[in-house]
Amino acid sequence: MKKFSIVIAGGGSTYTPEIILMLLDNLDRLPLRSIKLYDNDEERQNHVAKACEILIKEKDPTIQYVATTDPEVAYTDVDFVLAHIRVGKLEMRSLDEKIPLKYGVVGQETCGPGGMAYGLRSIPGVLENIEYMEKYSPNAWMLNYSNPASIVAEACRRFKPNSRVINICDMPIGMEHTIARILGFKSRKEMCIRYYGLNHFGWWTSIKDKDGKEYIQDLIAHQLKYGNCLADDDASYYTDSSWFDTAKKVKDIIAIDPTMCPNSYFQYYLFGDDMVAHTDPNYTRADQVVDTREKRVFGECARIEKVGTAKDTTLQIGIHAEFIVDLATALAFNTHERMLLIVPNNGAISNFEKDAMVEIPCIVGKDGYEPLTVGEIPHFQKGLMEQQVNCEKLVVDAYEQHSYLKMLQALTLNKCVPNANVARKILDDFIEANKAYWPELK
Ligand code: NAD
Ligand code: LMR
């Protein structure tokens, strides 16, 4: 069987070791000859680089390994680029969240105003990595899960329309693990789902078993009572207590439209006031991630490096990362796997903009993806999506035209921002904070 070569772009990410464990656990499905880490910050990548080398050597010493900051070394002779970069790192995520909070607005790092700021930073970083791939390995595929995924995907559609880039997100998969538990399936793979929306902004409309039996009404009834968690779940089941709160909040979200099951990120757009009331403006999600995931992963990587073995490691396979192997396998072996991807709408949602990047089920094979049709969507969902998609398009306009006005319009249109005065204040603070990253807006 052919063996593949992979580069992980954003090698210094806290998710890298879990993704490597996932790759090593799936070598029977996706045989590998080389794994490379690439980051533009050597110091950060060094937190995980040595531990990843040990993980790989102990599992399969025939796999070549290198951690590098040289794009040519990283991108030469690769079949797949797994891209999860965070331009500005968690320090900037912290400001994306805290600046809006100064004005009583939820920051939200993907679809809220924080995501608009992050988008303007991410676009050039992602485009730069696509260019490296096209220069050094033009036949490779990039599986991109760098956030904010919708804005990044819109920039790919506009500036790199012919590139071999597939935009994907693990968020629906995370929720589907819980949905499977609620409905009594052994695994989410036993479910055949229908979902539509934008990234971090969509709804499940059907969940069927292998025989075609529909479960969506059971799930709606359950979520109306408990949210997206089991009746007897407690916080210990979740990676941290805020994810448990998020799962419970689905109860309030679905009450607004009990005909389909919402992504839990709607808590930020529909209940921004509740989120602000429960957020410490000096300690946001970015601080939690640094104090929990980053501390845990970097600490364990340092321990592995010190003892020289990963035999007793507490690092776990990233189950959310399984979609990466599924997607790479589908492209490599033409499996026609059905997966949720972020793709140009092109009429799939018949009453929605053709050139919007939507998250819908697609069939994936060796030539890429073929989206499934969704049909017409109702007014409530359409209204929310139109507001959001136009806000995201305006961010990409602002990047393209270096336009202050477009960015002001994007923030004014954002559902989390109450009015244009507040939008302008947030924008002016963002400009100051992002001097090292944003184009100069005129
Ligand atoms: P992180 O800050 O821990 O790691 C990101 C790494 O990217 C850093 O080491 C940074 O130096 C590097 N980087 C920044 N700009 C780069 C560039 N131009 N080229 C190469 N490397 C660059 O971040 P994280 O919390 O691990 O998140 C990584 C990314 O994955 C983020 O975009 C995050 O939002 C996204 N994410 C996606 C999903 C998903 O499935 N969609 C899930 C979780 C996180
Ligand atoms: C992230 O990028 O880290 C988020 O998508 C998830 C989180 O932990 O807040």
Side-chain angles (χ1 to χ4, degrees):
M1 196 145 87
K2 183 179 171 191
K3 292 192 172 188
F4 298 91
S5 169
I6 280 183
V7 58
I8 300 181
S13 159
T14 47
Y15 292 102
T16 297
E18 302 176 354
I19 288 169
I20 289 192
L21 284 173
M22 169 58 81
L23 292 172
L24 295 174
D25 199 50
N26 282 277
L27 291 173
D28 53 338
R29 282 207 289 155
L30 189 70
L32 298 180
R33 59 188 165 85
S34 167
I35 298 177
K36 301 193 242 188
L37 302 194
Y38 167 69
D39 206 290
N40 61 3
D41 179 342
E42 186 169 18
E43 199 186 322
R44 180 156 178 108
Q45 182 159 263
N46 281 344
H47 284 292
V48 301
K50 188 73 197 164
C52 290
E53 179 174 4
I54 294 170
L55 289 172
I56 294 167
K57 287 277 159 329
E58 288 186 345
K59 173 77 185 185
D60 184 345
T62 68
I63 298 175
Q64 287 176 10
Y65 171 79
V66 66
T68 181
T69 53
D70 179 342
E72 183 170 357
V73 174
Y75 278 92
T76 299
D77 183 33
V78 297
D79 300 299
F80 295 108
V81 180
L82 312 184
H84 61 179
I85 65 168
R86 184 187 287 284
V87 179
K89 291 170 277 196
L90 287 159
E91 292 97 83
M92 290 307 296
R93 173 178 181 174
S94 169
L95 295 175
D96 294 343
E97 292 167 345
K98 291 188 176 91
I99 288 172
L101 271 176
K102 263 173 66 183
Y103 306 102
V105 172
V106 62
Q108 218 309 290
E109 66 135 2
T110 57
C111 300
M116 307 298 106
Y118 184 14
L120 221 46
R121 289 197 304 277
S122 273
I123 295 169
V126 171
L127 296 180
E128 172 186 85
N129 278 276
I130 296 173
E131 278 155 20
Y132 292 145
M133 175 176 87
E134 296 191 325
K135 180 164 179 198
Y136 297 116
S137 285
N139 294 321
W141 283 102
M142 179 180 283
L143 319 188
N144 182 42
Y145 38 102
S146 308
N147 273 324
S150 280
I151 293 173
V152 166
E154 168 66 10
C156 291
R157 185 192 70 80
R158 236 189 262 192
F159 307 127
K160 295 278 170 198
N162 301 316
S163 294
R164 289 160 70 91
V165 180
I166 299 188
N167 294 291
I168 187 161
C169 173
D170 75 340
M171 171 63 193
I173 291 166
M175 282 190 72
E176 281 171 23
H177 281 294
T178 310
I179 292 172
R181 286 169 63 231
I182 291 170
L183 296 175
F185 291 103
K186 277 206 239 29
S187 132
R188 58 172 276 274
K189 296 263 177 150
E190 292 179 357
M191 310 187 305
C192 183
I193 65 105
R194 303 231 20 135
Y195 178 101
Y196 73 84
L198 311 171
N199 178 242
H200 286 181
F201 207 101
W203 297 263
W204 283 267
T205 56
S206 168
I207 300 200
K208 290 187 178 166
D209 66 15
K210 289 258 154 41
D211 299 323
K213 182 172 173 228
E214 180 61 81
Y215 287 79
I216 195 75
Q217 291 306 336
D218 298 346
L219 182 62
I220 290 170
H222 179 95
Q223 289 188 341
L224 281 166
K225 217 162 158 192
Y226 303 108
N228 197 50
C229 50
L230 268 68
D232 54 0
D233 266 356
D234 60 34
S236 66
Y237 180 77
Y238 296 82
T239 46
D240 60 55
S241 61
S242 71
W243 280 114
F244 184 40
D245 295 340
T246 296
K248 285 188 290 190
K249 191 72 183 169
V250 167
K251 181 177 160 177
D252 293 346
I253 305 169
I254 194 168
I256 299 169
D257 182 357
T259 63
M260 53 186 89
C261 295
N263 190 301
S264 59
Y265 269 79
F266 280 106
Q267 68 177 343
Y268 296 107
Y269 328 129
L270 303 180
F271 296 97
D273 51 346
D274 291 352
M275 301 311 292
V276 171
H278 292 111
T279 305
D280 175 350
N282 299 311
Y283 190 85
T284 57
R285 181 79 200 139
D287 303 295
Q288 277 172 12
V289 171
V290 170
D291 288 342
T292 54
R293 193 173 66 224
E294 188 175 273
K295 212 174 245 166
R296 175 175 57 76
V297 173
F298 286 0
E300 177 58 6
C301 285
R303 192 193 67 80
I304 292 174
E305 189 172 345
K306 192 157 162 235
V307 297
T309 173
K311 251 193 353 268
D312 305 315
T313 186
T314 53
L315 290 173
Q316 286 175 350
I317 295 172
I319 48 165
H320 291 189
E322 73 191 10
F323 71 93
I324 296 167
V325 175
D326 290 341
L327 181 53
T329 311
L331 292 164
F333 299 113
N334 207 24
T335 63
H336 296 119
E337 171 113 6
R338 184 173 159 150
M339 305 192 71
L340 275 185
L341 302 178
I342 305 160
V343 298
N345 181 36
N346 258 338
I349 302 173
S350 54
N351 55 344
F352 198 62
E353 291 179 56
K354 269 203 169 130
D355 64 357
M357 292 303 282
V358 293
E359 192 162 299
I360 52 176
C362 300
I363 304 294
V364 188
K366 76 172 180 29
D367 296 324
Y369 55 79
E370 295 172 63
L372 299 178
T373 55
V374 173
E376 276 206 13
I377 60 171
H379 292 302
F380 179 60
Q381 285 71 13
K382 184 169 181 277
L384 283 170
M385 282 169 62
E386 271 170 354
Q387 180 174 14
Q388 182 66 19
V389 86
N390 284 298
C391 165
E392 291 164 350
K393 280 181 179 291
L394 282 163
V395 174
V396 184
D397 290 346
Y399 170 81
E400 193 175 16
Q401 300 161 24
H402 295 197
S403 166
Y404 180 94
L405 209 57
K406 295 283 163 140
M407 201 57 186
L408 180 63
Q409 290 170 0
L411 287 163
T412 304
L413 197 56
N414 194 280
K415 178 113 182 94
C416 302
V417 179
N419 59 57
N421 287 324
V422 172
R424 191 182 286 277
K425 285 184 189 151
I426 293 175
L427 175 56
D428 289 343
D429 285 7
F430 274 160
I431 289 174
E432 197 53 36
N434 282 280
K435 275 201 173 120
Y437 301 99
W438 280 14
E440 193 185 340
L441 301 184
K442 296 195 194 83

